[in-house]
Each structure stands twice: as C-alpha cells, then as structure tokens.
Amino acid sequence: MRLVAAATIVTLVFFGVSAGDTQAEDGPPVTATQPLLRSIGEDVSPDELRATIARLVEFGTRHTLSETQSNTRGIGAARRWIRAQFIEMSRRCHGCLRIETPTQTIVGERIPKPTVIMDVLAVQRGTSDPDRVIVISGHLDSRVTDVMNATGDAPGADDDGSGTAAVLEAARVLSHYKFAATLVYAVLSGEEQGLYGGKLLAQSALDHHWQVEAALNNDIIGNATGANGMADKTHVRLFSEGTRSTETPEEAERRRYNGGEVDSPSRNLGRFISGIADRYITDFRVRMIYRTDRYSRGGDQVPMLAAGYPSVRFTESIENYTREHQDVRTVDGVHYGDVLGGIDFPYLAQVVRLNAVAMAALASAPAPPDSVKIGGAVSADTVLTWAPVAGAVSYRVWWRDTTAPIWTNSRSAGNATSLTLKDITIDDWFFGVSSVSADGYESPVEFPGPAGAFNPAIKPSSPASVHGN
Ligand SMILES: [Zn+2]
C-alpha cells in the first residue's frame, strides 16, 4: 500500500499536466502488465475448442424440445455430457467447482408441452470476495429453419456450440487459478425458444443473492467470414446497452438532463473489456457496438440486464446468415446449415482468450467503488465521492470529453474516498471512478449515480450491507 502511494507521487511529478489535456494525467491504466493475464491467454487452446464443438455436433440436435432419454442424441444427452465435463474439471482442481443444474418446467409460446429447461452451471468460489460474481455464458440448444422442429439435424456448431465451448474452455483454463471473486461458468438452454435459460440464470443469481458485477454472454463467436466473402479476423463485436434496463422514470429524467446515456455499467464493462483486448490479446480488438444486441434480435444477456446485472454480448465480427437457423442442405451450390466446417478455430480462440483474460482481470480487481457521487455545479472545481470497497487500496478518478467514446484522463485519489479536481468544471466532462487492488488490478470505471451504478442496490446510508450479502 505504501509502495503504491509512493509510486503514484513519483508519477504525478513526472506526468502531471494541466486540466483539459487529453492524455492520462499520471501514467497508463494500472492493469497494464500482469503476467498472470498473459499466461491465461496462452492457455486457451484451439484444439480443445475444436474437440468440444465436434462432440456437441455429434448429439445430432440439441433442440430444447428434443428427446432427453437417449444417451447419444438430443438435449438430455448433451447436457449430461456438459455436466460430466465440469465434474472432470473439478476433479482436476481438487473440487474447486460446485455444479448446479437450475431447472424449471416451462409451457410457453414456443414450448407447447411442459418441457424441462435446465441450465448447467459450475461455480468457482472466490477466495476473499465470494459474493461478487463474474459470469460467462453460452447456450447449448440449437435449431434449424423451423424453430419448432425438434428432430431434424441441428448441429449448432456456431450457434451456439461456439459459446458453449467458450464456457467450457474458460472453466478448464481458469479453474487452475484462484481469484478474489467467484466465477460462474453457465451453459444455458431454451435460448432459441425464448431466452428461457437466461431467465433461469438471472433467477438463480437473485436466489443466491449474487452480486453479479459482469455477465459475459457468448453467442455466435466462431466465424469471421460472411456469405459475401467479407472477412474480419482481428475484431469481435461487443454489444452493450446504453441506458440501464432497470432505470426508473425519475432516473431517466435526470439522466436525460445531465448525461449518462452512454455510461450504463454494461457500457463501462464493455470499455473495460476493450481495454483488456488492447493490452493482452495480440492483433485483436473489440468493436464496441452501442446496442443491447443485433438489430431486433436478442440473447441471454437480456434477462440478466432486466434483473439489473451489468451484461454484454460477444458476437463474431461478421455473421454468415447461410449457416444460422438453417436446415442443413445444399441449394444451387450454396451450403446451408450450422456445421463444424464453418468454424474458424484460431479466430474462436482469440474471442475465448479475451473472455478468459477479462474474467481473470475482473475477478482479481476489487469491485468498482460503491455509491459514486459527483458535485461541483456553479463552481470551478468538480468533486467526486464514493464508498470504499473490499480489496481496494486506492481509487482512480477518470474523465473524458462528453463526445469521447473512451475514458482519456485519470488521476489517482490514493486511498481517499473523494477527490477534488481543481479547475476542471463539472459541466464540460463526463466523470467516473475505478478501484485498484494492492497488486495493481483495476476495476471497470463507474459513472456517478444510478445511471452508472454497478450495484444500485447498495445505498450510502447502509454501508454495513456493502459486503454482507
Ligand atoms: Zn444463439
């Protein structure tokens, strides 16, 4: 702690600049060079991903309404195989994973008869901050052209064998390590019938009183070449909502006036992940998409957002629509269907590296500060205040131009829980605060007030509840 404070003072001397400068004021972001994160990226294996998706395709169909008794075909066999993989991984890490199968019998719009929806979760409990949870998810179920066809071959290699393989690979790699926060590896089902597995995951999180700081949903992440031949193997798209799903009309009115429409916790989680890609994933960058999902389409991050949890969606740079939601067939020389041959494994590995490294970085950092507040109207200075969080030895105030997409300027507050930015007017910038651990891991930046709160349930008047649930 003393070392960190001393280093901060030194860098302030060398890099201190005047207000309005567009560079970071006292050096680069702190999660800049962590050997652990580099080695986690190197552990991700394209061969493991290939083996997982090849196995998933062998189940013929994983449609939510498909049979569950067979040991070789259908969603039942597939989810038993997933569970067995988690059990084997847990055996290798001396029981580090707790396997849960939240289950609900559903009748709904695309589920005409009572059907069991079952998610398969593996929970890696955090060492010092176990109620704080980082989730990775993908969906196991697959479909063909007719969403009600439960018997036709639906290989679902990319949608969403790729996301399911990402979850298993993240678990395989990260279960070798220990982290402050809890990691949840979530294989969902019922997505194509109406996001039922995502709803079940959100309900599970609420039932467990998990403080979900980040949910990374992976859906269609294994291909980078479109049917038109366009290719982009150096980016992944990251979708994040701009304003939080759960904001009240009063909060929306304040946000419209003061700003925050591009600073939900999900959006700042996206910025955090984009920064991880820049620093830790070679030749690979995030394309931030300022939308909850693709145009008029959905995914399992949506029920998590509805429950108030910061969530984003990873999807490949360029989708191939001859493969998604198609019967496997060839018409006029064009191959349709979501087959194994459509997966680009080196590309998929890059997306999975980014997920695994981001999870490790989030789980190693403290939570973002609680109850971030801002003041300074009709004043030359801006004042940020916040409540302390477990595991933080210092905090960093960030600001950027109101039209800038990423945080540009920052200043360390040391271990104080407020900072006055002298001669920087509140009117002209957007502001936020991050937390920093003793070993230099930094949290996502939190925008002040309910618009940006990662954990809006925590009120400054009840600090006792901060780490209690
Ligand atoms: Zn999907």
Side-chain angles (χ1 to χ4, degrees), residues 181-388:
T182 292
L183 302 181
V184 173
Y185 310 101
V187 175
L188 310 177
S189 66
E191 197 271 351
E192 304 290 5
Q193 310 309 112
L195 310 180
Y196 291 104
K199 291 171 195 166
L200 200 50
L201 173 64
Q203 189 57 53
S204 270
L206 291 168
D207 292 345
H208 282 299
H209 303 290
W210 283 341
Q211 186 187 314
V212 178
E213 178 182 315
L216 315 185
N217 188 40
N218 286 269
D219 199 347
I220 311 181
I221 58 169
N223 166 63
T225 306
N228 59 4
M230 286 182 66
D232 176 3
K233 302 191 179 194
T234 58
H235 292 85
V236 66
R237 289 179 294 163
L238 190 60
F239 293 84
S240 59
E241 69 176 8
T243 62
R244 65 184 322 140
S245 301
T246 53
E247 82 176 351
T248 66
E250 295 74 26
E251 288 164 357
E253 189 165 329
R254 215 173 316 144
R255 187 256 308 153
R256 270 195 297 273
Y257 205 88
N258 291 327
E261 57 282 319
V262 290
D263 275 282
S264 68
S266 303
R267 180 62 50 75
N268 277 310
L269 172 60
R271 291 187 178 106
F272 176 91
I273 295 168
S274 180
I276 290 288
D278 293 345
R279 275 172 237 126
Y280 290 99
I281 313 296
T282 307
D283 294 331
F284 202 65
R285 303 200 73 185
V286 166
R287 274 188 73 203
M288 292 275 289
I289 309 288
Y290 281 22
R291 286 197 167 109
T292 298
D293 208 308
R294 288 88 38 82
Y295 196 88
S296 292
R297 301 175 73 190
D300 285 317
Q301 77 282 12
V302 174
M304 293 297 277
L305 292 167
Y309 299 130
S311 307
V312 293
R313 174 185 180 137
F314 289 88
T315 296
E316 59 204 23
S317 54
I318 298 175
E319 288 173 79
N320 185 325
Y321 303 108
T322 61
R323 300 213 183 96
E324 292 179 23
H325 301 185
Q326 296 280 355
D327 294 334
V328 180
R329 66 195 193 282
T330 302
V331 179
D332 298 332
V334 178
H335 299 290
Y336 293 87
D338 192 359
V339 298
L340 188 65
I343 304 295
D344 176 338
F345 288 98
Y347 175 81
L348 172 60
Q350 290 284 68
V351 182
V352 178
R353 276 181 197 112
L354 177 54
N355 271 266
V357 173
M359 290 178 77
L362 288 161
S364 300
D370 284 329
S371 310
V372 177
K373 289 190 162 60
I374 188 164
V378 207
S379 150
D381 307 334
T382 299
V383 183
L384 278 297
T385 61
W386 54 91

Side-chain angles (χ1 to χ4, degrees), residues 389-404:
V389 290
V393 299
S394 69
Y395 301 90
R396 180 171 282 261
V397 170
W398 288 85
W399 66 103
R400 70 179 201 267
D401 196 275
T402 61
T403 59

Side-chain angles (χ1 to χ4, degrees), residues 38-107:
R38 294 226 174 275
S39 91
I40 284 170
E42 287 162 11
D43 288 349
V44 169
S45 156
D47 291 340
E48 290 282 343
L49 294 163
R50 182 190 296 274
T52 297
I53 299 180
R55 184 70 191 90
L56 292 174
V57 168
E58 284 173 1
F59 291 107
T61 177
R62 306 186 306 277
H63 192 281
T64 299
L65 304 174
S66 63
E67 69 166 294
T68 57
Q69 299 307 308
S70 165
N71 279 326
T72 56
R73 187 177 178 88
I75 185 80
R79 66 194 174 212
R80 287 192 293 278
W81 182 80
I82 296 289
R83 187 167 177 275
Q85 302 313 298
F86 282 145
I87 289 171
E88 174 58 20
M89 285 178 208
S90 188
R91 194 187 58 75
R92 281 190 226 126
C93 63
H94 313 290
C96 77
L97 302 177
R98 187 179 77 239
I99 290 120
E100 297 183 8
T101 50
T103 300
Q104 194 177 9
T105 301
I106 299 275
V107 179

